[in-house]
Amino acid sequence: MNLPKPIQEFIDAFSELPSVGPRQATRLAFRLIRQGPSTINRLAKSAALLGKIKVCSRCFFIHDQEGPLCDICTHTKREHDIFLIVEKETDLMSIERSSAYQGRYLVIGEAPKSGVLEPWQVMRLSVLKKTIQDTLPSQKAREIIIGTNPSTYSDAMGTRIKQELQSHTEKITFLGRGIPTGGEIEFSDEETLSHALHRRQ
Ligand SMILES: [Zn+2]
Protein backbone atom coordinates (compact mmCIF):
# COMPACT_ATOMS: atom_id res chain seq x y z
CA MET A 1 0.00 0.00 0.00
CA ASN A 2 1.30 3.40 -0.94
CA LEU A 3 0.81 6.18 1.57
CA PRO A 4 -0.24 9.59 0.26
CA LYS A 5 2.87 11.57 -0.69
CA PRO A 6 2.63 14.21 2.11
CA ILE A 7 2.60 11.50 4.77
CA GLN A 8 5.54 9.68 3.21
CA GLU A 9 7.51 12.93 3.01
CA PHE A 10 6.73 13.72 6.65
CA ILE A 11 7.89 10.24 7.70
CA ASP A 12 11.10 10.55 5.67
CA ALA A 13 11.89 13.95 7.19
CA PHE A 14 11.17 12.98 10.79
CA SER A 15 12.93 9.63 10.54
CA GLU A 16 16.18 11.52 10.05
CA LEU A 17 15.95 12.98 13.56
CA PRO A 18 18.00 11.32 16.31
CA SER A 19 16.06 8.61 18.18
CA VAL A 20 13.02 8.89 15.90
CA GLY A 21 12.57 5.86 13.62
CA PRO A 22 10.13 5.38 10.74
CA ARG A 23 7.58 3.72 13.04
CA GLN A 24 7.47 6.62 15.48
CA ALA A 25 7.40 9.09 12.61
CA THR A 26 4.43 7.24 11.10
CA ARG A 27 2.58 7.25 14.41
CA LEU A 28 3.29 10.95 14.82
CA ALA A 29 2.00 11.69 11.32
CA PHE A 30 -1.35 9.97 12.01
CA ARG A 31 -1.64 11.59 15.37
CA LEU A 32 -1.13 15.04 13.89
CA ILE A 33 -3.64 14.36 11.14
CA ARG A 34 -6.17 13.41 13.84
CA GLN A 35 -5.44 16.59 15.78
CA GLY A 36 -6.23 18.75 12.79
CA PRO A 37 -4.90 21.78 10.91
CA SER A 38 -4.53 24.19 13.84
CA THR A 39 -2.04 21.95 15.68
CA ILE A 40 -0.22 21.22 12.42
CA ASN A 41 0.02 24.91 11.52
CA ARG A 42 1.31 25.81 14.95
CA LEU A 43 3.97 23.12 14.73
CA ALA A 44 4.98 24.15 11.21
CA LYS A 45 5.24 27.78 12.25
CA SER A 46 7.39 27.07 15.31
CA ALA A 47 9.66 24.76 13.30
CA ALA A 48 10.10 27.45 10.65
CA LEU A 49 11.06 29.99 13.34
CA LEU A 50 13.84 27.64 14.51
CA GLY A 51 15.42 28.30 11.14
CA LYS A 52 16.02 31.90 12.24
CA ILE A 53 18.11 30.89 15.26
CA LYS A 54 21.80 31.60 14.83
CA VAL A 55 24.89 29.94 16.27
CA CYS A 56 27.35 32.18 18.14
CA SER A 57 30.57 32.47 16.16
CA ARG A 58 32.63 32.47 19.36
CA CYS A 59 31.13 29.92 21.78
CA PHE A 60 28.79 28.08 19.35
CA PHE A 61 25.75 28.40 21.63
CA ILE A 62 22.51 29.41 19.94
CA HIS A 63 21.16 32.99 19.95
CA ASP A 64 18.77 35.38 18.25
CA GLN A 65 20.77 38.55 18.86
CA GLU A 66 21.80 40.96 16.15
CA GLY A 67 25.38 40.36 15.12
CA PRO A 68 27.45 37.20 15.31
CA LEU A 69 27.77 36.80 19.10
CA CYS A 70 25.40 35.47 21.76
CA ASP A 71 24.38 37.36 24.90
CA ILE A 72 26.76 35.32 27.09
CA CYS A 73 29.76 36.28 24.94
CA THR A 74 28.71 39.94 24.81
CA HIS A 75 27.73 40.23 28.49
CA THR A 76 30.06 42.83 30.04
CA LYS A 77 29.65 41.66 33.65
CA ARG A 78 30.68 38.04 33.03
CA GLU A 79 34.27 36.97 33.59
CA HIS A 80 35.94 37.10 30.21
CA ASP A 81 39.08 35.09 30.99
CA ILE A 82 37.54 31.83 32.24
CA PHE A 83 36.11 29.33 29.75
CA LEU A 84 34.00 26.25 30.42
CA ILE A 85 33.92 23.68 27.65
CA VAL A 86 30.69 21.68 27.42
CA GLU A 87 29.55 19.06 24.94
CA LYS A 88 25.98 20.14 24.34
CA GLU A 89 23.88 23.29 24.40
CA THR A 90 21.64 21.60 26.98
CA ASP A 91 24.68 21.09 29.27
CA LEU A 92 25.34 24.82 29.08
CA MET A 93 21.71 25.55 29.92
CA SER A 94 21.84 23.28 32.99
CA ILE A 95 25.00 25.01 34.25
CA GLU A 96 23.44 28.43 33.66
CA ARG A 97 20.42 27.36 35.72
CA SER A 98 22.74 26.54 38.65
CA SER A 99 24.01 30.19 38.62
CA ALA A 100 27.31 28.83 39.95
CA TYR A 101 29.34 29.91 36.94
CA GLN A 102 29.90 33.40 35.57
CA GLY A 103 32.51 32.92 32.86
CA ARG A 104 32.31 32.17 29.15
CA TYR A 105 31.73 28.89 27.33
CA LEU A 106 32.67 26.79 24.35
CA VAL A 107 30.19 24.20 23.04
CA ILE A 108 32.46 21.53 21.58
CA GLY A 109 29.85 18.95 20.53
CA GLU A 110 29.37 15.37 21.71
CA ALA A 111 32.41 13.14 22.10
CA PRO A 112 33.01 11.21 18.87
CA LYS A 113 33.01 7.43 19.23
CA SER A 114 36.08 7.23 16.97
CA GLY A 115 38.10 8.80 19.80
CA VAL A 116 39.39 11.41 17.35
CA LEU A 117 38.04 14.95 17.35
CA GLU A 118 36.01 15.77 14.25
CA PRO A 119 37.45 18.52 12.01
CA TRP A 120 34.66 20.92 13.01
CA GLN A 121 35.49 20.31 16.69
CA VAL A 122 39.16 21.07 16.05
CA MET A 123 37.96 24.25 14.34
CA ARG A 124 35.95 25.22 17.46
CA LEU A 125 39.06 24.79 19.62
CA SER A 126 40.96 27.04 17.19
CA VAL A 127 38.23 29.66 17.58
CA LEU A 128 38.70 29.50 21.37
CA LYS A 129 42.47 29.87 21.02
CA LYS A 130 41.94 32.88 18.78
CA THR A 131 39.43 34.41 21.21
CA ILE A 132 42.01 34.07 23.99
CA GLN A 133 44.69 35.67 21.83
CA ASP A 134 42.52 38.49 20.58
CA THR A 135 40.64 39.44 23.74
CA LEU A 136 43.06 38.84 26.63
CA PRO A 137 46.12 41.07 27.08
CA SER A 138 48.14 38.19 28.58
CA GLN A 139 47.11 35.96 25.64
CA LYS A 140 46.33 33.28 28.20
CA ALA A 141 43.05 32.33 29.84
CA ARG A 142 42.98 32.47 33.65
CA GLU A 143 41.32 29.07 33.66
CA ILE A 144 39.81 26.60 31.23
CA ILE A 145 37.37 24.14 32.78
CA ILE A 146 36.68 20.96 30.83
CA GLY A 147 33.05 20.07 31.49
CA THR A 148 32.68 16.97 29.36
CA ASN A 149 30.27 14.29 30.58
CA PRO A 150 31.57 11.37 32.65
CA SER A 151 31.92 8.58 30.08
CA THR A 152 34.77 6.76 28.36
CA TYR A 153 34.46 8.68 25.08
CA SER A 154 34.03 12.02 26.82
CA ASP A 155 37.02 11.40 29.11
CA ALA A 156 39.15 10.66 26.05
CA MET A 157 37.92 13.86 24.42
CA GLY A 158 38.64 15.80 27.63
CA THR A 159 42.23 14.58 27.65
CA ARG A 160 42.60 15.55 23.99
CA ILE A 161 41.20 19.03 24.66
CA LYS A 162 43.59 19.44 27.57
CA GLN A 163 46.57 18.68 25.33
CA GLU A 164 45.33 21.16 22.73
CA LEU A 165 44.71 24.03 25.13
CA GLN A 166 47.32 23.61 27.86
CA SER A 167 49.65 26.28 26.49
CA HIS A 168 46.77 28.79 26.18
CA THR A 169 45.80 28.95 29.84
CA GLU A 170 47.27 29.47 33.32
CA LYS A 171 45.25 26.60 34.69
CA ILE A 172 43.17 23.76 33.28
CA THR A 173 40.63 21.88 35.42
CA PHE A 174 38.03 19.16 35.03
CA LEU A 175 34.43 19.38 36.08
CA GLY A 176 32.31 16.35 36.64
CA ARG A 177 34.01 14.67 39.57
CA GLY A 178 30.83 15.36 41.51
CA ILE A 179 28.65 13.95 38.77
CA PRO A 180 28.15 10.19 39.01
CA THR A 181 29.81 8.09 36.28
CA GLY A 182 27.36 7.53 33.46
CA GLY A 183 25.43 10.61 34.63
CA GLU A 184 24.91 13.57 32.38
CA ILE A 185 25.47 17.24 33.05
CA GLU A 186 22.20 17.96 31.28
CA PHE A 187 20.22 15.90 33.81
CA SER A 188 22.14 16.85 36.96
CA ASP A 189 20.35 19.01 39.47
CA GLU A 190 21.54 22.52 40.27
CA GLU A 191 23.12 21.57 43.60
CA THR A 192 25.15 18.74 42.04
CA LEU A 193 26.38 21.09 39.33
CA SER A 194 27.34 23.78 41.85
CA HIS A 195 29.32 21.22 43.84
CA ALA A 196 30.97 19.88 40.69
CA LEU A 197 32.00 23.43 39.82
CA HIS A 198 33.33 24.22 43.29
CA ARG A 199 35.20 20.95 43.50
CA ARG A 200 36.76 21.11 40.05
CA GLN A 201 40.36 19.94 39.96
ZN1 LIG B 1 28.66 33.05 22.47
Side-chain angles (χ1 to χ4, degrees):
M1 189 197 86
N2 283 333
L3 285 169
K5 205 162 166 248
I7 301 185
Q8 195 53 56
E9 278 177 7
F10 178 92
I11 294 168
D12 292 345
F14 273 76
S15 303
E16 279 177 28
L17 298 176
S19 73
V20 181
R23 284 176 64 172
Q24 278 123 313
T26 309
R27 254 182 254 143
L28 184 61
F30 284 107
R31 199 186 173 134
L32 286 171
I33 292 166
R34 277 200 303 272
Q35 291 195 335
S38 75
T39 305
I40 293 170
N41 287 339
R42 200 169 136 225
L43 206 69
K45 225 185 236 169
S46 61
L49 287 173
L50 282 181
K52 294 196 194 305
I53 297 289
K54 296 188 283 187
V55 174
C56 176
S57 63
R58 193 173 273 176
C59 72
F60 300 94
F61 188 55
I62 45 97
H63 71 100
D64 59 356
Q65 304 255 100
E66 286 204 21
L69 300 180
C70 73
D71 51 351
I72 297 176
C73 285
T74 49
H75 202 296
T76 51
K77 296 242 166 68
R78 295 186 73 111
E79 291 173 279
H80 60 289
D81 51 1
I82 296 186
F83 299 88
L84 172 48
I85 301 180
V86 292
E87 288 183 57
K88 293 173 293 177
E89 292 82 354
T90 41
D91 295 338
L92 184 156
M93 287 160 60
S94 297
I95 292 168
E96 280 297 289
R97 264 199 300 275
S98 79
S99 308
Y101 178 71
Q102 285 303 318
R104 315 268 177 191
Y105 291 93
L106 181 78
V107 180
I108 189 73
E110 286 185 65
K113 301 234 178 331
S114 64
V116 184
L117 289 179
E118 301 283 348
W120 58 270
Q121 295 180 309
V122 175
M123 184 275 288
R124 290 186 180 191
L125 288 180
S126 308
V127 170
L128 176 59
K129 288 178 197 168
K130 195 170 176 337
T131 302
I132 291 169
Q133 274 166 11
D134 293 351
T135 63
L136 303 176
S138 66
Q139 310 230 309
K140 272 195 176 199
R142 185 147 58 93
E143 183 176 351
I144 292 176
I145 307 161
I146 300 174
T148 45
N149 282 295
S151 81
T152 315
Y153 296 120
S154 298
D155 285 348
M157 179 162 78
T159 310
R160 187 82 195 84
I161 294 171
K162 185 179 177 183
Q163 289 165 351
E164 279 284 325
L165 297 177
Q166 210 144 31
S167 58
H168 298 266
T169 182
E170 308 282 343
K171 192 162 121 184
I172 198 151
T173 53
F174 282 86
L175 173 77
R177 298 293 177 256
I179 297 162
T181 307
E184 290 261 345
I185 291 174
E186 179 183 354
F187 302 116
S188 298
D189 60 51
E190 282 136 44
E191 203 180 334
T192 307
L193 285 174
S194 295
H195 282 153
L197 266 162
H198 288 128
R199 287 207 309 262
R200 64 187 186 256
Q201 48 187 277

